[in-house]
């Protein structure tokens, strides 16, 4: 029994099972639009079973995005049950699962009652912009109204994107949260914290922790000592005793308290983008990956050195693979709207019936006919950090069709990645020779070819698409006391397991189109301020 084993023998290496696939490691992948549970064979990295469920986003007001924490937890548990059932149908015992890792949508903030386990409010999702006015008020109080005022401490600009302002809003606007704080029964955390607390017992002894990668996205953790920073907590008026304990990305945190995997250790935890960096085998300084999903995220491994960007990127923790391991850092560029733009084209203006139409419709027109689409629905993230930006479509003529607009949305994803690569080059003085990619959107071949053409380097897409979940499994399986996944001797992905997209565009064509993109971006600035002024005038 795992529970008996863990009580007395945490330091002992896990026994190697002798089942059909050898030792297995589970990975909970809780994203913005879905929850999944995947089971990997530790020796081959093969996915042997999985299950996925959609998660509902709600939009109470313009710019607000919420999710039900109980729906998230229920979906995760259901995915675990269904994936394990499929494993059993394959004549593999659940006892072959020796550990579970967690990877999650970052920054999304949850508060709950420690005595009842009930959420005190819906989760405020990373995309949510309700604290924009709070950011404006804060900037009035800091020198030069600088977004980067706190960067030396936390590595991040002052932005509604990160968790601190979401938590501050909950404290200031939800009476149940304030009452729970006064009565010392309020727990707070990001999605990883909520899941680990519930899976390890919840109100009956659940563990209140987070890992360094998720903590580094809150604006509350000191980026140097990797602990909650008293100055940052005072700045945002967050009581430090509410916050979870910060742990490494790879260690045994506790065991699952009940259900089909009762007693199995949870031993890996990373934010989704850092997990994808690990899953793409970007262990070394200078390696980078780009993930294409609801948003788009490019991370560049800077090793044990913290690089402070002067061109709009953020400094974040890439991973810390054990209690005593040195942290590895990354520069990150975050794009708020990538795949979400196609959801808007489908659901709001009915240009699409389904996402399966994107590639054929965009391919039919050949090019955009100089149409440029900046999907700044809730502002622009890296490298601009313009929360007053709003979406624009430029260059429309009487010849423009829906295919041109769809293709312009596709190119917008690629141009935003070029924005980030340009900033990384200025910060680090290095030019990437290839870009490793992952995420649901990478199944679109036209997107991948366009990305290569617009950045001028090869794009490498692994045939094993589940790199985010793979990273969490690697962290869990390599943890001290588990040790069924050897990261030191891991083999690179063979060439025949990667699709390569080579640049076919000339540098002149690429740069001319990029110049037009920059013009379109400038036209997106300042719209929210203009709206406020119009309202005041009335």
């Amino acid at each position: 029994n795992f529970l008996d084993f863990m009580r007395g023998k945490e330091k002992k290496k896990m026994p190697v099972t002798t089942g059909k696939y050898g030792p297995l490691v589970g990975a909970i992948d809780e994203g913005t639009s879905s929850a999944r549970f995947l089971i990997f064979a530790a020796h081959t990295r093969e996915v042997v079973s999985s299950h996925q469920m959609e998660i509902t986003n709600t939009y109470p007001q313009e710019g607000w995005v919420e999710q039900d924490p109980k729906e998230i937890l229920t979906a995760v548990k259901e995915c675990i049950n269904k994936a394990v059932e499929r494993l059993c149908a394959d004549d593999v015992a659940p006892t072959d699962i020796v550990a579970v890792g967690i990877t999650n949508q970052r920054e999304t903030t949850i508060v709950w009652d420690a005595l009842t386990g009930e959420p005190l409010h819906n989760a405020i999702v990373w995309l949510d912009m309700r604290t924009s006015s709070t950011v404006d008020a804060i900037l009035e109080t800091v020198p030069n109204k600088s977004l980067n005022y706190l960067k030396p401490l936390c590595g991040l600009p002052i932005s509604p994107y990160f968790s601190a302002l979401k938590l501050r809003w909950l404290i200031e606007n939800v009476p149940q949260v304030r009452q729970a704080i006064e009565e010392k029964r309020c727990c707070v955390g990001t999605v990883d914290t909520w899941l680990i607390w519930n899976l390890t017992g919840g109100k009956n002894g659940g563990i209140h922790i987070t890992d360094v990668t998720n903590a580094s996205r809150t604006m509350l953790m000191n980026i140097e000592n990797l602990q909650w920073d008293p100055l940052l907590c005072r700045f945002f008026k967050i009581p430090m005793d509410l916050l979870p304990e910060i742990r490494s990305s790879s260690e045994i945190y506790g065991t699952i308290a009940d259900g089909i995997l009762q007693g199995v250790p949870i031993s890996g935890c990373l934010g989704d983008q850092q997990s994808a960096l690990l899953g793409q085998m970007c262990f070394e300084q200078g390696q980078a990956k780009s993930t294409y999903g609801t948003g788009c995220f490019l991370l560049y491994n800077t090793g044990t050195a913290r690089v402070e960007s002067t061109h709009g990127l953020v400094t974040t923790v890439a991973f810390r693979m054990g209690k005593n391991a040195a942290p590895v850092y990354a520069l990150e560029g975050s794009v708020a709207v990538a795949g979400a733009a196609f959801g808007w084209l489908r659901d709001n203006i009915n240009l699409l019936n389904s996402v399966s139409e994107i590639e054929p419709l965009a391919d039919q027109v050949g090019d955009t006919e100089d149409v440029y689409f900046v999907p700044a629905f809730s502002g622009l993230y890296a490298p601009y950090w313009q929360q007053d930006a709003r979406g624009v479509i430029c260059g429309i003529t009487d010849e423009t069709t829906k295919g041109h607009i769809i293709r312009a949305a596709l190119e917008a994803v690629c141009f935003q990645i070029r924005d980030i690569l340009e900033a990384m080059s200025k910060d680090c003085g290095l030019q990437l020779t290839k870009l490793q990619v992952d995420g649901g959107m990478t199944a679109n071949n036209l997107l991948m070819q366009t990305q290569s053409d617009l950045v001028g380097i090869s794009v490498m897409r692994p045939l094993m698409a589940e790199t985010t979940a793979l990273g969490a499994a690697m962290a869990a399986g390599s943890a001290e006391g588990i040790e069924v996944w050897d990261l030191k001797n891991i083999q690179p992905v063979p060439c025949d397991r990667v699709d390569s997209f080579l640049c076919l565009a000339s540098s002149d064509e690429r740069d001319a189109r990029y110049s037009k993109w920059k013009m379109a971006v400038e036209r997106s600035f300042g719209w929210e301020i203009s709206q406020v002024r119009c309202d005041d005038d009335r």
Side-chain angles (χ1 to χ4, degrees), residues 340-353:
F342 297 100
W344 179 81
L345 290 173
R346 180 192 61 199
D347 301 333
N348 291 45
I349 60 174
N350 301 315
L351 284 193
L352 293 164
N353 292 318

Side-chain angles (χ1 to χ4, degrees), residues 329-398:
Y329 291 91
L331 275 179
E332 176 173 339
S334 307
V335 172
V337 177
F342 297 100
W344 179 81
L345 290 173
R346 180 192 61 199
D347 301 333
N348 291 45
I349 60 174
N350 301 315
L351 284 193
L352 293 164
N353 292 318
S354 72
V355 293
S356 63
E357 297 178 354
I358 295 169
E359 188 166 359
L361 285 172
D363 209 20
Q364 281 176 9
V365 294
D367 59 46
T368 67
E369 292 284 354
D370 253 5
V371 173
Y372 291 82
F373 179 10
V374 183
F377 300 146
S378 54
L380 288 170
Y381 288 176
Y384 304 104
W385 299 105
Q386 293 278 343
Q387 65 185 40
D388 59 9
R390 289 298 178 266
V392 297
I393 301 176
C394 303
I396 293 175
T397 71
D398 58 0

Side-chain angles (χ1 to χ4, degrees), residues 83-102:
V84 174
E85 284 176 15
R86 290 176 181 172
L87 190 72
C88 294
D90 192 26
D91 295 325
V92 180
T95 50
D96 281 1
I97 301 174
V98 300
V100 168
I102 293 176

